[in-house]
Amino acid sequence: MNRRTALKTFALVAGAAALLPACSHPPAELPASVPLRHLAVNARQEKTLAEVCETILPKTDTPGAKDLSVHLYVLKMLDDCSSPDEQRAFQAGLGQLDEAAQQRHAQPFLGCSPAQRLALLQGVEQGKGFPSDLVSFYKTAKRLTVSGYTGSKYFLTQQIVYELVPSRYNGYFPIKDVNLSKSHHGQS
C-alpha cells in the first residue's frame, strides 16, 4: 500500500464516520420559514396554517391565500402584535386542529380533502363541541387571513386600486349626472 492509497482510505473512513451518525437519527422538525421571536411553529404547522388560510380564501379566478403567502403574514402579525395569551391559544389551537381532523375524518388536517377541511372549519367556527383554544385559533387565523389578503399588494393594485385621500380631481365629470336637489356631505 502506498501513501496516496492510505490517505484516500483514511479520508473515506473519516468522512463516513462523520456522516453515519447524521443518517441514523430522524430529521428534526424544521422551523418555520419566517423568523419568529415568540411563537414556536415548525414547518409542518406552517403548512397546516397555509391550508387553513387557503380554505378560508381559496383560489378561484383570483389568487388564493396560499398564492399570496398570507399564512406568513398571519404568523408575523401574531408573533409581533399579539398578547402572550393570544399566542398561546393560537399555538394550542393549531395543535388541536389535527386532533379534531383525526377524530372527524381519521386523518390529519393536511390529509383531508378540501371539502372535509371546509366542513371541519365551519364546525369550528360554530364552536360546538370544540376546545376553546381551537375556536380562538380559527377566529384569529380567519381575522388575520382576511386582513392579510385585503392588505396585500395584489389586492390593493389589482382588485381595488388604492388612492390616497383626497384622491384625484375629475374635471370632466358630466354635470347632468349630479342630482343637485339632494344635499350632499358638507352642503346645506
Side-chain angles (χ1 to χ4, degrees):
M1 175 181 285
N2 62 17
R3 192 170 104 193
R4 181 172 296 209
T5 303
L7 287 175
K8 282 182 183 178
T9 305
F10 177 74
L12 183 65
V13 170
L19 289 177
L20 283 178
C23 296
S24 65
H25 296 292
E29 290 282 342
L30 296 173
S33 62
V34 61
L36 302 170
R37 289 181 293 154
H38 305 293
L39 291 175
V41 176
N42 60 36
R44 188 184 58 74
Q45 291 173 320
E46 180 185 329
K47 190 173 180 181
T48 300
L49 179 62
E51 293 302 327
V52 168
C53 293
E54 184 68 17
T55 304
I56 293 170
L57 289 172
K59 182 176 184 171
T60 56
D61 56 340
T62 60
K66 203 162 60 174
D67 294 332
L68 301 179
S69 299
V70 172
H71 64 286
L72 299 179
Y73 171 83
V74 170
L75 287 175
K76 197 65 178 165
M77 289 300 291
L78 193 67
D79 189 59
D80 289 346
C81 303
S82 296
S83 68
D85 287 340
E86 191 174 9
Q87 292 170 352
R88 185 210 52 79
F90 186 87
Q91 282 191 279
L94 183 58
Q96 293 169 352
L97 182 63
D98 274 339
E99 296 169 12
Q102 195 74 34
Q103 289 174 353
R104 304 232 180 212
H105 305 294
Q107 53 193 345
F109 187 77
L110 290 175
C112 294
S113 69
Q116 290 172 328
R117 292 176 184 170
L118 181 62
L120 178 63
L121 292 181
Q122 286 174 338
V124 171
E125 187 169 23
Q126 293 171 356
K128 296 178 182 171
F130 291 99
S132 62
D133 284 342
L134 179 57
V135 174
S136 174
F137 155 76
Y138 176 70
K139 289 181 178 179
T140 302
K142 183 176 179 181
R143 176 177 50 86
L144 290 174
T145 298
V146 171
S147 172
Y149 192 87
T150 56
S152 69
K153 181 179 178 181
Y154 164 77
F155 188 80
L156 292 176
T157 58
Q158 303 294 317
Q159 295 297 315
I160 297 176
V161 178
Y162 177 74
E163 293 183 4
L164 289 173
V165 173
S167 189
R168 62 189 133 138
Y169 174 72
N170 184 2
Y172 297 109
F173 191 80
I175 193 71
K176 65 181 180 183
D177 293 343
V178 177
N179 185 359
L180 296 175
S181 63
K182 289 184 173 181
S183 63
H184 298 280
H185 181 70
Q187 296 177 338
S188 55

